[in-house]
Short mmCIF file of all heavy atoms in Angstrom, two decimals:
data_model
loop_
_atom_site.label_atom_id
_atom_site.label_comp_id
_atom_site.label_asym_id
_atom_site.label_seq_id
_atom_site.Cartn_x
_atom_site.Cartn_y
_atom_site.Cartn_z
N LYS A 9 46.54 24.69 40.24
CA LYS A 9 46.83 23.47 39.46
C LYS A 9 46.20 22.31 40.18
O LYS A 9 45.88 21.27 39.53
CB LYS A 9 48.27 23.26 39.36
CG LYS A 9 48.85 24.12 38.26
CD LYS A 9 50.40 23.77 37.96
CE LYS A 9 50.91 24.70 36.96
NZ LYS A 9 52.31 24.45 36.66
N GLU A 10 46.09 22.28 41.51
CA GLU A 10 45.59 21.07 42.27
C GLU A 10 44.13 21.09 42.31
O GLU A 10 43.43 20.11 42.76
CB GLU A 10 46.27 21.04 43.67
CG GLU A 10 47.72 20.75 43.54
CD GLU A 10 48.31 20.87 44.94
OE1 GLU A 10 47.65 20.96 45.93
OE2 GLU A 10 49.58 20.75 44.93
N GLU A 11 43.41 22.21 41.88
CA GLU A 11 41.91 22.20 41.95
C GLU A 11 41.47 21.24 40.90
O GLU A 11 41.95 21.17 39.79
CB GLU A 11 41.50 23.53 41.60
CG GLU A 11 41.65 24.54 42.73
CD GLU A 11 41.08 25.97 42.46
OE1 GLU A 11 40.23 26.06 41.47
OE2 GLU A 11 41.43 26.88 43.03
N LYS A 12 40.45 20.51 41.25
CA LYS A 12 39.85 19.45 40.37
C LYS A 12 38.53 19.90 39.83
O LYS A 12 37.83 20.68 40.53
CB LYS A 12 39.74 18.11 41.07
CG LYS A 12 40.96 17.53 41.46
CD LYS A 12 40.90 16.25 42.06
CE LYS A 12 42.30 15.69 42.43
NZ LYS A 12 42.39 14.44 43.00
N GLY A 13 38.18 19.45 38.54
CA GLY A 13 36.83 19.77 38.01
C GLY A 13 37.08 20.27 36.58
O GLY A 13 38.20 20.26 36.08
N PHE A 14 35.97 20.57 35.98
CA PHE A 14 35.94 20.98 34.60
C PHE A 14 35.63 22.49 34.46
O PHE A 14 34.95 22.99 35.24
CB PHE A 14 34.85 20.23 33.71
CG PHE A 14 35.17 18.71 33.79
CD1 PHE A 14 34.37 17.91 34.53
CD2 PHE A 14 36.17 18.23 32.91
CE1 PHE A 14 34.58 16.53 34.48
CE2 PHE A 14 36.38 16.85 32.94
CZ PHE A 14 35.52 16.02 33.69
N THR A 15 36.19 23.12 33.50
CA THR A 15 35.87 24.50 33.15
C THR A 15 34.50 24.60 32.52
O THR A 15 33.99 23.65 31.99
CB THR A 15 36.96 25.19 32.33
OG1 THR A 15 36.91 24.54 31.07
CG2 THR A 15 38.34 25.01 32.89
N ILE A 16 33.89 25.66 32.50
CA ILE A 16 32.61 25.80 32.00
C ILE A 16 32.68 25.63 30.44
O ILE A 16 31.72 25.15 29.76
CB ILE A 16 31.97 27.19 32.24
CG1 ILE A 16 30.54 27.34 31.85
CG2 ILE A 16 32.72 28.39 31.61
CD1 ILE A 16 29.64 26.66 32.86
N ILE A 17 33.81 26.04 29.85
CA ILE A 17 33.96 25.80 28.37
C ILE A 17 33.88 24.33 28.00
O ILE A 17 33.31 23.86 27.11
CB ILE A 17 35.37 26.48 27.84
CG1 ILE A 17 35.26 27.95 28.13
CG2 ILE A 17 35.53 26.15 26.45
CD1 ILE A 17 34.17 28.67 27.36
N GLU A 18 34.68 23.50 28.84
CA GLU A 18 34.58 22.09 28.61
C GLU A 18 33.32 21.46 28.72
O GLU A 18 32.92 20.57 27.87
CB GLU A 18 35.67 21.41 29.56
CG GLU A 18 37.09 21.77 29.37
CD GLU A 18 38.04 21.31 30.50
OE1 GLU A 18 37.59 21.14 31.58
OE2 GLU A 18 39.18 20.94 30.20
N VAL A 19 32.54 21.93 29.62
CA VAL A 19 31.16 21.37 29.92
C VAL A 19 30.29 21.80 28.73
O VAL A 19 29.52 20.95 28.16
CB VAL A 19 30.53 21.86 31.21
CG1 VAL A 19 29.18 21.50 31.36
CG2 VAL A 19 31.31 21.35 32.45
N LEU A 20 30.43 23.02 28.28
CA LEU A 20 29.55 23.43 27.09
C LEU A 20 29.90 22.66 25.81
O LEU A 20 29.08 22.39 25.04
CB LEU A 20 29.82 24.99 26.95
CG LEU A 20 29.17 25.83 27.96
CD1 LEU A 20 29.45 27.27 27.76
CD2 LEU A 20 27.62 25.64 28.01
N ILE A 21 31.25 22.35 25.61
CA ILE A 21 31.61 21.63 24.40
C ILE A 21 31.03 20.20 24.52
O ILE A 21 30.49 19.70 23.48
CB ILE A 21 33.16 21.64 24.20
CG1 ILE A 21 33.66 23.00 23.93
CG2 ILE A 21 33.53 20.55 23.32
CD1 ILE A 21 35.14 23.22 23.98
N VAL A 22 31.08 19.55 25.59
CA VAL A 22 30.50 18.24 25.72
C VAL A 22 29.00 18.34 25.61
O VAL A 22 28.41 17.44 24.80
CB VAL A 22 30.89 17.73 27.13
CG1 VAL A 22 30.02 16.37 27.39
CG2 VAL A 22 32.36 17.33 27.24
N LEU A 23 28.35 19.28 26.09
CA LEU A 23 26.88 19.42 25.88
C LEU A 23 26.47 19.69 24.41
O LEU A 23 25.58 19.18 23.93
CB LEU A 23 26.29 20.50 26.78
CG LEU A 23 26.25 20.13 28.22
CD1 LEU A 23 25.71 21.35 28.94
CD2 LEU A 23 25.33 19.04 28.51
N ALA A 24 27.30 20.46 23.70
CA ALA A 24 26.98 20.75 22.30
C ALA A 24 27.25 19.54 21.43
O ALA A 24 26.43 19.22 20.59
CB ALA A 24 27.90 21.85 21.82
N ILE A 25 28.29 18.78 21.74
CA ILE A 25 28.51 17.50 21.05
C ILE A 25 27.37 16.48 21.25
O ILE A 25 26.80 15.90 20.29
CB ILE A 25 29.81 16.86 21.38
CG1 ILE A 25 30.92 17.82 20.82
CG2 ILE A 25 30.01 15.51 20.82
CD1 ILE A 25 32.30 17.42 21.32
N ALA A 26 26.95 16.37 22.53
CA ALA A 26 25.77 15.48 22.86
C ALA A 26 24.51 15.90 22.21
O ALA A 26 23.77 15.09 21.70
CB ALA A 26 25.67 15.50 24.37
N GLY A 27 24.24 17.22 22.07
CA GLY A 27 23.08 17.78 21.41
C GLY A 27 23.14 17.46 19.93
O GLY A 27 22.12 17.11 19.31
N LEU A 28 24.28 17.59 19.25
CA LEU A 28 24.38 17.31 17.93
C LEU A 28 24.15 15.70 17.57
O LEU A 28 23.50 15.37 16.59
CB LEU A 28 25.80 17.62 17.36
CG LEU A 28 26.04 19.06 17.13
CD1 LEU A 28 27.51 19.32 16.81
CD2 LEU A 28 25.18 19.61 16.06
N ILE A 29 24.60 14.92 18.43
CA ILE A 29 24.43 13.46 18.33
C ILE A 29 22.96 13.14 18.43
O ILE A 29 22.31 12.42 17.64
CB ILE A 29 25.24 12.66 19.35
CG1 ILE A 29 26.70 12.86 18.92
CG2 ILE A 29 24.88 11.23 19.36
CD1 ILE A 29 27.65 12.24 20.02
N LEU A 30 22.24 13.75 19.46
CA LEU A 30 20.80 13.49 19.68
C LEU A 30 20.09 14.09 18.40
O LEU A 30 19.07 13.48 17.95
CB LEU A 30 20.31 14.14 20.92
CG LEU A 30 20.69 13.47 22.22
CD1 LEU A 30 20.36 14.27 23.39
CD2 LEU A 30 20.04 12.15 22.21
N LEU A 31 20.43 15.20 17.89
CA LEU A 31 19.75 15.82 16.74
C LEU A 31 19.81 14.90 15.52
O LEU A 31 18.89 14.57 14.88
CB LEU A 31 20.31 17.14 16.48
CG LEU A 31 19.78 17.88 15.19
CD1 LEU A 31 18.27 18.25 15.47
CD2 LEU A 31 20.51 19.10 14.83
N ILE A 32 21.02 14.31 15.31
CA ILE A 32 21.25 13.29 14.18
C ILE A 32 20.37 12.09 14.33
O ILE A 32 19.74 11.66 13.46
CB ILE A 32 22.77 13.04 14.11
CG1 ILE A 32 23.52 14.24 13.55
CG2 ILE A 32 22.95 11.83 13.11
CD1 ILE A 32 25.07 14.07 13.66
#
Side-chain angles (χ1 to χ4, degrees):
K9 284 186 178 181
E10 293 176 11
E11 287 182 21
K12 297 185 179 180
F14 298 104
T15 66
I16 192 75
I17 299 297
E18 292 169 330
V19 171
L20 288 175
I21 289 172
V22 168
L23 288 175
I25 291 170
L28 284 174
I29 291 170
L30 285 174
L31 179 67
I32 290 169

